[in-house]
Amino acid sequence: MAKPLIIDEVWKERIASQLNDMEFGSLHIVVHEGQIVQMERTERKRYENTPGSSVKAAARAERRTGRESGLR
């Protein structure tokens, strides 16, 4: 039978501190015998496209298509 998970104020503060300032990501909490023993934080950074980036991507795609067909 699983032991009941006990979360004291110290762990509540640790969890909150790991979640603060996280915009995109996850917090993985590892429990062993009813006690938290580890936390793993994975954070993602997302960036907006800069002006002109879609034009540059289209130009690269066009050059790539031209190379594949043997055109220069």
Side-chain angles (χ1 to χ4, degrees):
M1 176 124 183
K3 293 183 179 181
L5 179 61
I6 300 171
I7 303 174
D8 60 12
E9 284 301 314
V10 172
W11 277 107
K12 287 178 184 177
E13 290 175 16
R14 290 175 181 168
I15 292 168
S17 72
Q18 290 296 310
L19 293 173
N20 284 339
D21 302 326
M22 184 187 298
E23 195 170 356
F24 302 101
S26 62
L27 180 63
H28 181 93
I29 300 173
V30 179
V31 177
H32 182 71
E33 295 184 358
Q35 293 185 348
I36 298 173
V37 294
Q38 179 176 328
M39 291 189 294
E40 299 171 9
R41 177 178 162 154
T42 303
E43 190 169 2
R44 306 279 189 255
K45 296 290 184 185
R46 296 185 181 177
Y47 302 96
E48 295 294 323
N49 289 333
T50 57
S53 65
S54 59
V55 173
K56 292 175 186 176
R60 282 193 303 269
E62 188 175 325
R63 284 194 304 267
R64 196 175 13 229
T65 305
R67 276 191 225 127
E68 291 171 1
S69 64
L71 300 175
R72 291 246 174 208

